[in-house]
Amino acid sequence: MAVTENQNAEAIAARYHQQKPSHPGQFHVHRQGPVEELSSKLVTDREFKKGDVIAKLEGLSPGPKRHSSVQVSKTEHVELNSDLYFMNHSCDPSAHMDVDNKCVSALKDLKVGDEINFFYPSTEWDMAQPFTCWCGADKCIKTVTGANKLTAEQLNQFVLVNHIKELVAERDQQ
């Protein structure tokens, strides 16, 4: 019997739930609901000012495109191998997954207990596991499928990494 993407997601989440915090004093995983619901979130343990580096992207391992990976170039994906795995999507993100500079940075001032989330299409051209967005932001894109399905006008509302900007430019030249 083949393992489904959702079963794989549950296994990865369960593994991360059993680990010690990867960035103590910076942020932690707020565990909520059963592991299989993938409903946990990442929250701050201290204040961050807009522009602050929340975490460096270290200890990454190359891998295939899947729900848990982050796209770092036009063709490559990595696993975060840390609590950063629990960064949820938002169309009003509090952070930028800056794969170009190998860090996560604050897009707004964050207080202790604020959720750290990012706009998934800012790094992902084509999502391995699209989903319905329920963030409720004014600029919500409703369905998160990847940057390839969004217009340049929609994407221009967000901070994007270089490979997404390049892929949009290539797409729109055709």
Side-chain angles (χ1 to χ4, degrees):
M1 176 184 197
V3 174
T4 66
E5 181 66 26
N6 198 47
Q7 288 169 322
N8 184 42
E10 291 172 18
I12 291 169
R15 184 182 72 213
Y16 283 122
H17 271 287
Q18 296 168 2
Q19 292 180 348
K20 291 181 181 178
S22 62
H23 296 79
Q26 300 291 100
F27 50 82
H28 70 276
V29 178
H30 177 79
R31 295 167 187 350
Q32 54 190 22
V35 171
E36 62 272 9
E37 287 183 8
L38 304 175
S39 58
S40 295
K41 61 184 179 180
L42 202 61
V43 296
T44 59
D45 287 338
R46 66 176 196 85
E47 292 184 357
F48 292 94
K49 295 293 182 200
K50 180 179 179 178
D52 283 355
V53 171
I54 296 170
K56 292 181 181 179
L57 296 178
E58 301 173 320
L60 311 176
S61 57
K65 175 176 80 171
R66 57 195 220 186
H67 96 280
S68 59
S69 68
V70 173
Q71 189 171 348
V72 294
S73 75
K74 290 180 182 180
T75 60
E76 299 171 311
H77 289 77
V78 298
E79 293 294 334
L80 297 171
N81 300 321
S82 73
D83 288 342
L84 293 172
Y85 164 83
F86 291 96
M87 284 182 67
N88 291 322
H89 164 82
S90 178
C91 297
D92 184 20
S94 62
H96 173 50
M97 179 69 71
D98 187 351
V99 299
D100 300 318
N101 293 303
K102 294 188 171 69
C103 68
V104 175
S105 59
L107 291 176
K108 53 181 85 170
D109 290 346
L110 298 172
K111 300 179 304 253
V112 173
D114 283 349
E115 182 174 1
I116 305 169
N117 50 42
F118 78 106
F119 182 66
Y120 285 6
S122 70
T123 62
E124 306 304 311
W125 184 243
D126 180 42
M127 299 286 295
Q129 192 171 340
F131 60 93
T132 301
C133 181
W134 43 268
C135 73
D138 289 340
K139 57 186 177 182
C140 183
I141 61 172
K142 308 295 185 223
T143 303
V144 182
T145 57
N148 66 336
K149 300 286 194 275
L150 299 173
T151 66
E153 184 177 332
Q154 286 174 300
L155 290 168
N156 286 337
Q157 300 176 83
F158 303 97
V159 178
L160 306 174
V161 296
N162 288 332
H163 68 267
I164 295 297
K165 291 176 190 175
E166 292 166 6
L167 287 164
V168 170
E170 290 170 11
R171 176 197 67 193
D172 292 350
Q173 283 179 350
Q174 298 176 5

